[in-house]
Amino acid sequence: MTEDQLRELIGRVRRGTLSRRGFIRRMAAVGFTAPMCTQLLALYGISPAAAQSVPPYRPTRRGGGQLKILYWQAPTLLNPHFATGTKDQDASRVFYEPLAGWAADGTLHPILAAEIPSIDNKGLAEDGRSVTWKLKRGVKWHDGQEFTADDVVFNWEYARNPAVAAVTSGSYRDINVVKVDDYTVRVEFPRPTPFWADAFVAATGQLIPKHLFKDYAGANSRDAPTNLRPVGTGAYRFVSFAAGDTVRAEANPNYHLPNRPFFDQVEIKGGGDAVSAARAVLQTGDFDFAWNLQVDDETLRRLEAAGRGRVNIVEGGNIEHIQLNATDPNREVDGERSHISTQHPAFRDPAVRQAMALLLDRQSIQEFIYGRTGPATPNFLNAPPRFRSPNMRMEFNVDRANQILDQAGWARGRDGIRQKDGVRLRFVFQTSVNAPRQRTQQIYQQAARRAGIEIEIKSVVASVFFSSDVANPDTYGKFYADMQMYTTTMPQADPGRFMNQFVSWEIAQKANNWSGRNIVRWRNEEYDRIYREAEQELDPVKRAALFIRMNDLVVGSNHIIPVVQRPLVSGSAVNLRPVLSGWDTTLWLLSDWYRET
Amino acid sequence: MTQYLIRRLLIAIPSLLGISVILFTVLALAPGDPFEELATNPAVPPEVRLQLRASLGLDDPIHVRYIAWLTAMLRGEWGFSFVSRVDVDQLILQRLPTTLIVIGSSQIVALAIALPVGILAATRPYSLFDKIANTLAFVGFSLPTFFTGLLFILFFSIYLDWLPFVYRTEINATGFAWFWEHVKQTIMPVMVLGLFQGAAWTRFVRSAVLDVIRLDYVTTARAKGLPERVVITKHVVRNAMIPVVTLVALQMPIVFGGAIVTEQIFRVPGIGSLLISAILANDTPVIMAVTFVFACLVVFFNLVADILYGWLDPRISYR
């Protein structure tokens, strides 16, 4: 289906000559999923009567007692602009709020904004160069001061100041923020920007109060007492904090939403390990909620059987994938292996890459290793649904792989390993030390052996593999191996930043201390061109089509073989109603959590 | 005596300096940096991470960083954690009370078991009591704490549902209920550590007492007609305690250092868990401070042990 046809269909729904259901049926016929259709319609302002991206909040009064949350990594600081990990962003989110957050379906949900900017409400400029946020009125900081546009502007100044050394500076340094009036701010972009919801949104958009931080907006940022005693606008206000151990909060009686929050106190306890955290929620019921349960599905099911808690699985964009190196890891050029001027002797043949993709048994990997925590997928870009390609297929077929290799002239040698022109199909396959990854490596190794390919398994300790240490040859960024496997996270509901990891100007190499994001070192002119196009494209449907094309290009090249999606897994008490999202922090809507009685 | 003390303290300075140099180089050579998580997050541009590294001085050569650390330490500035941006001394002080309570009481439990059982077993060697005590001691110190910890959790928390297995410093209660909750959550970690330590010390006390009890002066004391109680407490135990004191004194820094594994299992926010999370996060200032304080304490308690010898055994003199 081409973009024009899509547009025509949407137009017909709008004019009323085609029913929503009819639209979804037609789309399904060409492989689009129902959520994707709904979102395409929503983008054009055609939303179902009861559009709910956030589940309804039912309690009619407060006073819900204590909520006990367990994090197996302990929060270490409470200033969102310094948060180095999700644990810190989550802990800060108890107290601080952004203008808007991302709901589970990848749509924006207003929090401190009065409404979500759109073309219709004149919030978005037609040329994509600015976005105007209207702030909610009557919001007060925990100390009673009014929340105004000055606070929003201050956060931009604070985060972009290099002396502050804020982790969030990436979201703020290239924009300009103007106060229009006390309750309106305008964010201006240097060029047309289709993804405008980065600054002041979600984890990096949490707003800190100007009146308490203005004297610490420079090199002395570390000395601000409020760093450790947060004063925000959130549903819960600060009680106590021990770095690396416990955060305690109590209900904010002046919260800006009615009947909220439900709980009197919130306690976040940190430390320990994921399995015992799962146990404390699912089996003994000592805690109400446990974050990020990186535990195998079998164990989770066994603990769940106790009936005290259940496992929540929320879809996000994180993807476990295998990369086939486009460059030669065994040849050194200018003191650098996997140099961009080289080509991988075996993987430069598309037949070999296609065979490698056919040899990965994703269905078994899902079934026997990841279970509910890793659905197999043929796509690299899986979510939000409007960006998911319907064109890719996953197939596990050893016979076809053999056939393809035979046809391409890779003949089996005396030892059963295929070779051609002196190049043997023998690959070093590296990943980090992690039980499911090692099991996946083994499954792949066995299948490859049946096709005359020998895979040598290598596993590197995670702290080395994922480090940015320039002196270490075993990091994933250097990629001094034929193949590697890891999970790329997708922290935003927009694939703009996510898909830049295959553009040619991001290639990891010595010149950029291997900090470039294109680690597989794959280059494709068409990809570069449509990525540039997507950066400027303001039409959401056209843009979605561009990203789908990008996914098809990179997955179709078989240099990237997606393995499984990694949704967010958490555990909660049976009667707890948490509101979770794969696109925002775990506690992004803690104000709406409640306990059913 | 004073001269001896001064000499010992002066000798301690170069050894502490040496320790700090070794610690610092090993840490600097270890792979990884505190901003690893930022590296895999596509929303954070690599420049931000590089700039953070530069602002914390992580890109300077090792010797420059070491000298900067040393001069700050001499001025009494312990530096601040790269991860939480909190001053290191504050972090340590926050953890100290819990550590002292949990690890301290486990050492007391260990002594309370080891001394009476060890002495009693030695005075009646190869009796039934001795055999039972021996067997249990062997079982006790051959089971590692992470194993007994999990065993305790499975039995007392999950099977019987008596004790909580997550340690919480802040408890929402007052008076006796508060005290009781604290006792309940402290029992398991204290017992796991105390029984392990106690088992090892029991064997040690027993052999120390056995060595002494066969000596001629003990026979003389008995021949004088002294009651058995006096012979044991005044003549045997006092002499047998010399090696035990060394062992216990050298163990004391551990009270400060916490018990890494046990703290992790029970989520006790002690110094051990501070150290392990700092190591995992490559948070150099915290690792340096904790390990350096630890080294100082080892040196200090060594000195204390030497001084205690003189009090226990007047034949030892200081020159």
Side-chain angles (χ1 to χ4, degrees):
Chain A
M1 175 169 285
T2 65
E3 186 219 323
D4 287 338
Q5 288 169 305
L6 245 179
R7 204 176 288 284
E8 197 215 296
L9 279 181
I10 292 174
R12 283 176 60 195
V13 179
R14 197 179 231 170
R15 289 191 301 274
T17 56
L18 178 68
S19 70
R20 286 176 45 78
R21 190 173 298 170
F23 174 75
I24 291 174
R25 212 166 31 229
R26 273 170 201 233
M27 297 289 280
V30 289
F32 286 84
T33 55
M36 177 171 177
C37 305
T38 327
Q39 289 198 348
L40 282 177
L41 290 178
L43 287 170
Y44 275 82
I46 310 165
S47 47
Q52 279 294 358
S53 53
V54 167
Y57 181 73
R58 300 206 187 280
T60 48
R61 56 191 175 80
R62 299 175 169 200
Q66 196 182 20
L67 173 67
K68 292 202 282 184
I69 298 174
L70 198 53
Y71 268 57
W72 54 265
Q73 276 180 12
T76 48
L77 51 85
L78 294 178
N79 183 337
H81 291 295
F82 295 157
T84 41
T86 45
K87 58 186 195 305
D88 303 322
Q89 292 176 337
D90 282 7
S92 312
R93 191 62 187 74
V94 174
F95 311 103
Y96 295 115
E97 295 182 313
L99 292 182
W102 291 105
D105 60 357
T107 56
L108 281 174
H109 175 76
I111 294 170
L112 287 177
E115 59 184 9
I116 297 298
S118 66
I119 304 241
D120 288 341
N121 66 19
K122 302 269 188 298
L124 289 184
E126 298 267 359
D127 63 356
R129 282 175 178 275
S130 73
V131 53
T132 309
W133 290 91
K134 292 215 173 341
L135 308 184
K136 204 167 178 175
R137 283 163 199 259
V139 177
K140 288 202 163 41
W141 296 102
H142 293 156
D143 59 2
Q145 298 256 6
E146 191 89 4
F147 163 73
T148 66
D150 290 323
D151 292 308
V152 180
V153 176
F154 171 74
N155 272 272
W156 163 67
E157 286 165 350
Y158 182 86
R160 73 199 294 259
N161 184 351
V164 171
V167 171
T168 49
S169 62
S171 302
Y172 295 94
R173 57 185 183 171
D174 296 332
I175 58 168
N176 187 35
V177 178
V178 182
K179 174 181 168 181
V180 178
D181 63 47
D182 272 356
Y183 295 97
T184 316
V185 286
R186 192 170 62 240
V187 179
E188 296 170 350
F189 305 105
R191 20 172 202 282
T193 303
F195 181 58
W196 45 268
D198 182 22
F200 309 123
V201 171
T204 52
Q206 301 176 45
L207 298 168
I208 56 173
K210 180 181 184 183
H211 61 278
L212 293 173
F213 280 97
K214 63 174 188 286
D215 298 332
Y216 301 96
N220 60 349
S221 61
R222 201 179 67 78
D223 302 327
T226 327
N227 281 345
L228 298 173
R229 307 186 54 83
V231 173
T233 54
Y236 295 93
R237 62 185 185 192
F238 178 77
V239 174
S240 71
F241 173 54
D245 179 32
T246 316
V247 179
R248 287 168 75 224
E250 61 180 11
N252 171 9
N254 305 316
Y255 190 54
H256 54 82
L257 286 169
N259 293 329
R260 291 176 178 88
F262 178 75
F263 297 98
D264 297 317
Q265 289 125 20
V266 173
E267 178 185 307
I268 301 177
K269 165 79 187 174
D273 60 290
V275 179
S276 72
R279 200 181 280 283
V281 171
L282 302 174
Q283 195 175 26
T284 65
D286 286 339
F287 279 77
D288 298 309
F289 185 86
W291 157 89
N292 196 5
L293 296 180
Q294 290 180 6
V295 180
D296 62 293
D297 199 29
E298 214 179 306
T299 312
L300 286 178
R301 281 187 195 279
R302 222 171 43 232
L303 295 176
E304 232 179 340
R308 280 183 165 157
R310 66 197 143 103
V311 172
N312 311 303
I313 293 178
V314 186
E315 187 180 61
N318 299 355
I319 173 90
E320 175 90 2
H321 65 286
I322 293 172
Q323 304 177 339
L324 306 184
N325 201 336
T327 58
D328 190 350
N330 299 317
R331 215 167 80 213
E332 204 172 291
V333 178
D334 299 335
E336 182 185 353
R337 286 159 66 188
S338 294
H339 190 273
I340 189 61
S341 67
T342 61
Q343 267 192 322
H344 194 280
F347 291 145
R348 71 175 170 206
D349 181 354
V352 177
R353 303 198 301 263
Q354 197 188 349
M356 291 307 287
L358 286 167
L359 290 170
L360 182 65
D361 188 358
R362 285 171 256 208
Q363 220 56 53
S364 301
I365 290 171
Q366 175 190 333
E367 205 169 314
F368 299 110
I369 301 178
Y370 289 98
R372 290 173 295 172
T373 67
T377 175
N379 287 315
F380 186 77
L381 178 59
N382 288 283
R386 63 176 177 274
F387 297 111
R388 187 181 302 156
S389 165
N391 310 324
M392 295 290 114
R393 298 275 171 273
M394 55 180 178
E395 189 188 355
F396 170 59
N397 193 334
V398 179
D399 295 338
R400 240 190 94 207
N402 270 318
Q403 217 176 356
I404 289 169
L405 290 171
D406 286 339
Q407 274 167 9
W410 294 91
R412 284 184 195 255
R414 217 177 304 157
D415 52 358
I417 296 178
R418 291 176 187 274
Q419 53 188 359
K420 181 177 155 185
D421 308 334
V423 178
R424 277 156 57 86
L425 295 188
R426 192 175 173 286
F427 305 128
V428 174
F429 180 19
Q430 69 178 12
T431 189
S432 71
V433 174
N434 174 304
R437 288 199 175 124
Q438 266 74 70
R439 287 169 67 193
T440 307
Q441 279 183 317
Q442 282 163 9
I443 287 184
Y444 205 11
Q445 186 187 40
Q446 279 164 17
R449 197 172 290 146
R450 286 165 58 200
I453 298 171
E454 194 185 337
I455 289 181
E456 187 191 323
I457 287 176
K458 177 178 167 189
S459 42
V460 185
V461 183
S463 62
V464 172
F465 190 63
F466 293 114
S467 81
S468 49
D469 187 353
V470 175
N472 202 310
D474 288 329
T475 62
Y476 78 120
K478 284 205 169 160
F479 197 5
Y480 288 177
D482 301 297
M483 308 155 59
Q484 66 181 0
M485 172 169 66
Y486 62 90
T487 289
T488 294
T489 56
M490 182 174 172
Q492 291 167 322
D494 185 272
R497 286 254 177 77
F498 184 65
M499 292 304 273
N500 78 352
Q501 54 190 309
F502 304 114
V503 297
S504 60
W505 57 90
E506 277 287 345
I507 284 177
Q509 50 191 317
K510 198 174 171 186
N512 55 23
N513 276 337
W514 291 277
S515 68
R517 296 201 58 230
N518 184 350
I519 287 166
V520 67
R521 296 150 167 79
W522 176 75
R523 271 177 302 181
N524 182 299
E525 276 172 25
E526 187 187 353
Y527 190 98
D528 285 357
R529 200 187 67 240
I530 55 178
Y531 183 84
R532 289 281 194 219
E533 216 175 301
E535 273 188 318
Q536 308 276 327
E537 184 53 64
L538 297 172
D539 186 315
V541 174
K542 219 173 187 173
R543 194 157 174 268
L546 289 173
F547 278 111
I548 288 174
R549 178 76 191 133
M550 280 184 235
N551 173 77
D552 294 354
L553 276 175
V554 69
V555 176
S557 80
N558 289 319
H559 270 294
I560 293 291
I561 309 173
V563 186
V564 289
Q565 279 179 270
R566 299 309 313 273
L568 298 174
V569 181
S570 57
S572 59
V574 268
N575 57 1
L576 186 74
R577 295 284 167 270
V579 184
L580 302 169
S581 165
W583 304 112
D584 209 325
T585 62
T586 305
L587 305 180
W588 81 285
L589 213 57
L590 186 63
S591 58
D592 279 25
W593 289 29
Y594 64 96
R595 201 192 295 282
E596 232 160 45
T597 42
Chain B
M1 177 75 182
T2 331
Q3 226 180 3
Y4 171 80
L5 258 181
I6 292 168
R7 205 174 60 229
R8 281 292 298 263
L9 287 174
L10 284 179
I11 291 172
I13 291 173
S15 53
L16 283 177
L17 271 178
I19 291 170
S20 73
V21 169
I22 293 169
L23 279 175
F24 206 92
T25 1
V26 168
L27 285 178
L29 292 177
D33 74 67
F35 305 110
E36 239 153 54
E37 211 166 332
L38 299 181
T40 48
N41 183 347
V44 180
E47 303 91 85
V48 173
R49 185 163 42 90
L50 296 180
Q51 194 194 330
L52 272 170
R53 280 182 61 93
S55 76
L56 295 176
L58 283 174
D59 292 334
D60 299 339
I62 298 179
H63 60 273
V64 175
R65 284 163 59 193
Y66 175 74
I67 290 168
W69 175 83
L70 190 68
T71 44
M73 199 73 176
L74 290 177
R75 283 200 308 270
E77 288 165 22
W78 295 39
F80 63 91
S81 157
F82 291 157
V83 175
S84 67
R85 307 200 189 191
V86 176
D87 285 329
V88 174
D89 44 352
Q90 217 179 320
L91 277 178
I92 293 178
L93 284 178
Q94 237 171 20
R95 304 290 186 121
L96 206 53
T98 313
T99 312
L100 289 181
I101 290 171
V102 174
I103 316 293
S105 35
S106 75
Q107 302 290 308
I108 292 172
V109 167
L111 272 183
I113 294 171
L115 283 181
V117 174
I119 292 167
L120 220 64
T123 49
R124 297 175 184 74
Y126 309 110
S127 66
L128 186 62
F129 177 83
D130 185 31
K131 279 177 186 152
I132 293 173
N134 253 329
T135 316
L136 288 181
F138 267 118
V139 172
F141 72 74
S142 41
L143 290 179
T145 49
F146 68 83
F147 181 74
T148 40
L150 291 179
L151 216 62
F152 273 36
I153 288 180
L154 278 177
F155 190 69
F156 291 105
S157 300
I158 288 160
Y159 181 67
L160 293 175
D161 210 358
W162 285 354
L163 302 169
F165 65 93
V166 177
Y167 188 98
R168 297 166 59 214
T169 30
E170 308 273 357
I171 282 171
N172 264 346
T174 46
F176 183 72
W178 177 86
F179 178 73
W180 181 235
E181 277 299 311
H182 265 293
V183 169
K184 259 172 56 180
Q185 68 179 3
T186 325
I187 290 177
M188 281 203 290
V190 165
M191 280 307 166
V192 164
L193 288 171
L195 292 179
F196 179 75
Q197 194 68 264
W201 283 353
T202 305
R203 296 277 308 157
F204 198 80
V205 170
R206 178 179 175 273
S207 68
V209 173
L210 267 184
D211 278 347
V212 174
I213 211 161
R214 295 196 202 104
L215 294 180
D216 292 343
Y217 79 92
V218 179
T219 320
T220 316
R222 288 215 174 92
K224 279 198 296 192
L226 287 178
E228 186 66 11
R229 237 179 57 99
V230 179
V231 173
I232 296 295
T233 51
K234 281 223 154 148
H235 296 265
V236 176
V237 173
R238 182 157 182 182
N239 282 302
M241 278 309 105
I242 295 175
V244 178
V245 163
T246 325
L247 195 70
V248 174
L250 290 183
Q251 203 76 36
M252 278 305 129
I254 289 174
V255 176
F256 168 82
I260 291 172
V261 176
T262 317
E263 286 185 8
Q264 202 68 6
I265 292 175
F266 293 100
R267 293 179 163 80
V268 178
I271 289 174
S273 71
L274 177 71
L275 182 63
I276 191 78
S277 55
I279 291 173
L280 291 176
N282 289 300
D283 194 352
T284 321
V286 178
I287 310 176
M288 272 313 285
V290 173
T291 43
F292 192 67
V293 170
F294 200 78
C296 292
L297 286 178
V298 171
V299 171
F300 174 74
F301 277 101
N302 249 322
L303 183 61
V304 171
D306 286 349
I307 291 169
L308 276 180
Y309 288 161
W311 173 72
L312 284 165
D313 185 350
R315 284 172 303 179
I316 299 171
S317 62
Y318 302 100
R319 251 177 269 117

